[in-house]
Amino acid sequence: MLRDFSLEDIRNIGIIAHIDAGKTTVTERILYYTGRTYKIGEVHEGTAVMDWMEQERQRGITITAAATTCYWREHRINIIDTPGHVDFTAEVERSLRVLDGGVVVFDAVAGVEAQSETVWRQANKYKVPRICFINKMDRIGANFSRTLSMIENRLQATPLPIQIPLGTEDTYEGIIDIIENKAWRFDTDPESEPEEIDVPEPEKARCAELRQALITKLAEHDDSIMIAYLEGDELEAYELKQALRRVTLDNKGVPVICGSALKNMGIQPLLDAIVDYLPSPLDIPPVIAVETKTGNEVTRPASDEAPFSALAFKVVTDPFVGRLVYFRVYSGRVKVGAHVFNPTRNRQERIGRLLLMHANHRENVDVADAGAIVATLGLKNTFTGDTLCETHKAALLESIRFPEPVISVAIEPKTRADQDRMGESLQKLTEEDPTFKVTYNDDTGQTIVSGMGELHLEVIVSRLISEFKVGVKVGRPRVAYKETITIPVQIEGRFVRQTGGHGQYGHVNLELEPLERGHGFQFVDAVKAGNIPKQYIPPVEIGIKEAMETGVLAGYPVVDVKATLRDGSYHEVDSSELAFKMAGSMALREGAMKAKPILLEPIMKLEVVAPEQFLGDIIGDLNSKRGHIGKVNIQGEMYMIHCLIPLAESFGYATRLRSLTQGRATHSLEFHRYEELPAKISDQIIEKAVGRRYG
């Protein structure tokens, strides 16, 4: 496929918003009106084209970012419909990294919601120009003006309304375009064309006032409008549109339009706004890369003639075609069968088929040009965030950073056959999702899977069962407690067995002392010459270490102990390495019982960022979870709480925090150190462990 659209006629955009603002419904209408689909899919009926995964259709939410291509006014628009739920924030992150522009959808009733703030911050991070679509104008409680002020106050943005609603709630019937000074009435029948009407008499004064306000705001950010404004010139619609485009591309303001996607109102003007105000690949500054040989920074302009460079932003295991890698071409072009270089992994790769994606449907193409978003088959060693480029002009693009997982559960296979499939399936899922991590806990013998929230892990488990056909059981992970001693003790370990022939004889005198937290295990040989032959001393250390693997209180590993071998005795005939190993093991177990053993628990370092109004609730909740509040810092309008909290109390905290703060707080959690467990909880754990052992 040779280029059928010039670069200035391409728009790479994402539809982003809070959950349930209507992103997927907007995308479905865009596909219908651009002729990409002949039938409108509905999220609530489970027929949305972009929500193609079984889990998405069951839950009525978007889980994975889906890509598609459509055409409007001689322009090619590549669209990525992203999830709104905070658990799938990585999908938004990676989409915004490779997109040029964004359409932020707001619910006219709810206004700016929690996840709207998160996606807005993500778009700010990548400097993505965007337009706002205030959806659901037909619903009771819809308020266009309030949503505008929320965009200004909560998002610290400059909204530039270029439309106002014609009617509201149940009387909503269309839009008034304040740039063109026209009104459009929509019919709920998707087949009917919008009807152009005169601006109603009662709205004319308001329309003129808003147009003047728009010109004033544009004049603050655009010199040509400023000159015309000061000279009192009458501005034409096309001049305002050009200025609005410049201001949008500079991220100094956001055009705001409105409609009701479900009722098929306002979609055509939205498509016009995408073409008029959002950037083409040429409007974006040339991407910066680092040459792998020299370490120098180079630019890669959006041109077919420039050296090929692309960023892989998504890996999907497709049940029909296999491993698909989505990538954005920033410069140059690549053909089917071409050999490319992956400087991130230092590997050569061969491009198999090139596919233009339409949700989970595929269209084969021969060439991917600059500005294209395509998927390919055949890349075995390319992962999310990797660069693809020419071998002789290797340059590394900036990768994508993802947040760390915050919640974990333990999973185990139901059968032996499931065990083999589970490992392979989990590997595929970690390749697809950079915020999904798998670890094996040697202490508890569990496979622990970690993700961004309970819904995230629920979807992963659901996919394991339905898509990968793996039977798994899910449980709450056991906390990896440890044991240690608190006082020094002298102890004797004697292993004597008399059988027919040679017996077994090993005798040691040990001194056990507690060490500081985190110092592990130390072994000191302080035996007077000859009392224990040298070859029997390493087995004593091995015996002690083996005994430390299962402690004396509840079977957890013993840590932070210094063992000094002071003395002992041996038998010329009956002593052996095994006998001294057993003597060391017995001494440790007996000594640990006498050295006032305690249980230790992992303590996590927790940071919570939240608005001031929720501060009291969060601190009260943390205190009830045995949290130790450190300091509270102010970050702009947000407050950061530093806290130490036991791991056992942190399970499910992501969900708890969301419910406490209406989803407006974020948090991060990392391991800090082990500390002594309170006696009451320690007794409960020991009781359970003894019950397991003897029950």
Side-chain angles (χ1 to χ4, degrees):
M1 179 192 78
L2 294 170
R3 178 179 298 290
D4 51 353
F5 287 86
S6 61
L7 270 168
E8 59 263 32
D9 294 336
I10 290 175
R11 301 287 181 271
N12 290 317
I13 65 156
I15 312 283
I16 57 177
H18 183 89
I19 192 167
D20 211 26
K23 295 176 304 303
T24 302
T25 307
V26 168
T27 313
E28 293 295 325
R29 296 320 186 262
I30 286 174
L31 295 181
Y32 180 77
Y33 286 113
T34 55
R36 199 70 177 81
T37 55
Y38 64 90
K39 180 176 179 291
I40 294 176
E42 299 292 6
V43 175
H44 57 275
E45 291 173 4
T47 58
V49 174
M50 301 301 277
D51 284 352
W52 56 270
M53 278 174 68
E54 182 190 334
Q55 288 79 11
E56 294 178 314
R57 294 189 164 178
Q58 285 171 355
R59 291 176 167 84
I61 60 167
T62 303
I63 289 168
T64 180
T68 190
T69 301
C70 60
Y71 307 91
W72 184 257
R73 273 175 42 191
E74 308 303 316
H75 286 69
R76 185 168 87 196
I77 304 173
N78 298 319
I79 301 175
I80 296 184
D81 174 32
T82 65
H85 199 286
V86 67
D87 284 13
F88 309 107
T89 187
E91 292 287 332
V92 184
E93 189 84 21
R94 61 169 152 208
S95 301
L96 286 170
R97 170 66 179 82
V98 298
L99 291 170
D100 301 330
V103 176
V104 189
V105 182
F106 295 97
D107 181 329
V109 180
V112 175
E113 297 173 86
Q115 191 63 7
S116 315
E117 294 180 62
T118 307
V119 297
W120 196 271
R121 280 199 299 269
Q122 287 171 305
N124 284 343
K125 182 165 92 177
Y126 293 112
K127 298 183 172 62
V128 175
R130 64 217 88 143
I131 57 179
C132 297
F133 180 72
I134 300 179
N135 191 25
K136 306 188 181 183
M137 284 305 308
D138 59 313
R139 285 185 56 201
I140 292 170
N143 191 322
F144 184 76
S145 303
R146 190 190 68 215
T147 307
L148 278 180
S149 65
M150 288 176 86
I151 291 170
E152 193 163 13
N153 298 327
R154 276 181 71 170
L155 302 178
Q156 307 292 299
T158 305
L160 303 168
I162 56 175
Q163 296 173 2
I164 55 172
L166 184 61
T168 187
E169 298 183 349
D170 54 351
T171 63
Y172 178 72
E173 55 178 348
I175 59 161
I176 298 169
D177 187 326
I178 60 179
I179 291 180
E180 301 274 3
N181 218 13
K182 292 176 182 172
W184 298 91
R185 184 185 284 134
F186 296 93
D187 196 311
T188 52
D189 177 9
E191 297 296 325
S192 61
E193 291 291 318
E195 179 194 351
E196 186 181 335
I197 59 171
D198 291 331
V199 176
E201 202 60 45
E203 297 287 355
K204 281 185 177 174
R206 182 176 172 226
C207 196
E209 189 185 311
L210 285 168
R211 194 174 198 273
Q212 194 55 43
L214 176 66
I215 292 168
T216 307
K217 275 193 178 177
L218 285 173
E220 291 173 19
H221 302 292
D222 189 86
D223 291 344
S224 62
I225 297 292
M226 171 66 85
I227 292 162
Y229 178 71
L230 292 174
E231 291 178 356
D233 295 346
E234 187 62 40
L235 286 158
E236 297 294 327
Y238 76 91
E239 292 176 286
L240 282 179
K241 284 186 176 181
Q242 286 176 340
L244 202 55
R245 179 176 180 81
R246 290 192 294 269
V247 169
T248 306
L249 297 187
D250 287 343
N251 270 309
K252 291 175 179 171
V254 280
V256 182
I257 58 180
C258 61
S260 169
L262 193 64
K263 297 284 177 65
N264 311 307
M265 295 179 172
I267 301 301
Q268 295 95 328
L270 169 61
L271 282 160
D272 288 337
I274 288 168
V275 167
D276 289 339
Y277 307 122
L278 289 182
S280 73
L282 290 175
D283 296 315
I284 299 298
V287 69
I288 295 169
V290 176
E291 284 186 326
T292 51
K293 285 181 183 171
T294 63
N296 296 332
E297 277 195 358
V298 291
T299 57
R300 290 283 185 258
S303 161
D304 292 349
E305 279 63 56
F308 170 68
S309 67
L311 186 76
F313 67 96
K314 189 173 167 72
V315 177
V316 175
T317 305
D318 189 290
F320 301 105
V321 294
R323 190 174 188 268
L324 277 173
V325 177
Y326 286 72
F327 64 89
R328 155 78 192 263
V329 182
Y330 281 99
S331 62
R333 55 190 349 202
V334 67
K335 293 183 178 179
V336 171
H339 288 275
V340 295
F341 182 59
N342 179 342
T344 315
R345 313 271 164 193
N346 202 24
R347 302 290 283 269
Q348 288 283 348
E349 292 272 43
R350 182 181 175 276
I351 300 286
R353 288 162 62 193
L354 282 171
L355 305 165
L356 207 56
M357 299 301 292
H358 177 46
N360 63 333
H361 300 290
R362 298 162 289 276
E363 182 186 320
N364 283 295
V365 292
D366 303 322
V367 178
D369 310 290
I373 291 178
V374 291
T376 183
L377 291 163
L379 303 184
K380 293 185 175 65
N381 300 299
T382 298
F383 299 88
T384 298
D386 287 4
T387 300
L388 297 171
C389 61
E390 289 179 18
T391 309
H392 304 300
K393 293 183 180 175
L396 202 58
L397 300 173
E398 186 188 347
S399 190
I400 313 171
R401 293 187 187 89
F402 295 102
E404 285 298 307
V406 295
I407 190 168
S408 309
V409 295
I411 62 168
E412 56 184 71
K414 284 184 176 174
T415 66
R416 180 59 63 87
D418 287 326
Q419 183 151 16
D420 301 333
R421 281 202 300 272
M422 186 174 90
E424 192 182 316
S425 304
L426 287 174
Q427 187 188 344
K428 286 179 181 173
L429 287 166
T430 52
E431 282 183 16
E432 282 188 24
D433 186 347
T435 58
F436 173 62
K437 297 275 181 1
V438 180
T439 52
Y440 183 76
N441 190 322
D442 292 320
D443 295 334
T444 62
Q446 290 176 310
T447 299
I448 307 291
V449 294
S450 308
M452 297 307 296
E454 283 163 283
L455 178 63
H456 186 197
L457 293 180
E458 196 184 305
V459 167
I460 292 279
V461 170
S462 172
R463 287 188 66 193
L464 274 176
I465 295 164
S466 63
E467 201 176 308
F468 295 95
K469 308 290 185 262
V470 179
V472 289
K473 288 187 283 190
V474 182
R476 191 170 156 173
R478 282 172 62 195
V479 179
Y481 294 107
K482 307 278 188 198
E483 298 182 18
T484 193
I485 59 173
T486 54
I487 57 168
V489 291
Q490 302 269 356
I491 198 74
E492 189 177 47
R494 187 187 293 271
F495 182 73
V496 181
R497 294 285 185 276
Q498 198 60 49
T499 55
H502 286 312
Q504 295 284 0
Y505 183 91
H507 170 227
V508 295
N509 283 321
L510 274 187
E511 184 181 339
L512 300 178
E513 301 168 73
L515 290 174
E516 282 185 40
R517 292 290 159 266
H519 278 57
F521 170 66
Q522 290 177 19
F523 178 77
V524 178
D525 171 16
V527 178
K528 296 185 182 113
N531 284 5
I532 300 177
K534 287 288 179 195
Q535 72 266 30
Y536 294 144
I537 289 170
V540 175
E541 183 180 356
I542 291 167
I544 293 169
K545 280 182 176 174
E546 282 187 5
M548 286 176 70
E549 285 174 13
T550 51
V552 293
L553 288 175
Y556 292 106
V558 179
V559 294
D560 303 335
V561 170
K562 179 181 178 182
T564 306
L565 181 58
R566 292 285 179 199
D567 203 357
S569 62
Y570 73 105
H571 190 278
E572 288 283 358
V573 178
D574 290 348
S575 284
S576 66
E577 290 186 3
L578 174 65
F580 275 94
K581 180 178 152 185
M582 294 301 293
S585 185
M586 290 164 71
L588 186 281
R589 294 191 72 78
E590 200 176 324
M593 286 296 286
K594 291 181 176 176
K596 295 191 177 172
I598 56 168
L599 279 179
L600 301 173
E601 64 175 339
I603 302 295
M604 311 299 283
K605 192 156 59 175
L606 172 70
E607 288 180 357
V608 181
V609 179
E612 185 181 7
Q613 70 207 75
F614 303 112
L615 219 53
D617 290 344
I618 293 169
I619 290 172
D621 182 59
L622 289 172
N623 285 331
S624 73
K625 292 180 175 295
R626 300 193 285 127
H628 294 279
I629 310 292
K631 54 188 177 183
V632 179
N633 296 340
I634 300 174
Q635 282 190 341
E637 294 185 348
M638 307 293 268
Y639 284 75
M640 181 182 274
I641 304 162
H642 300 265
C643 175
L644 296 177
I645 185 172
L647 175 64
E649 301 285 353
S650 71
F651 293 140
Y653 187 69
T655 309
R656 177 122 182 94
L657 184 64
R658 270 180 222 151
S659 65
L660 276 176
T661 63
Q662 297 158 23
R664 291 184 62 195
T666 57
H667 77 294
S668 64
L669 203 63
E670 60 180 295
F671 174 74
H672 181 54
R673 62 169 182 256
Y674 272 89
E675 276 185 7
E676 183 177 348
L677 193 64
K680 189 178 175 185
I681 301 171
S682 182
D683 291 345
Q684 291 170 359
I685 289 166
I686 293 166
E687 202 177 306
K688 271 188 199 168
V690 171
R692 274 201 304 273
R693 208 177 297 165
Y694 300 112

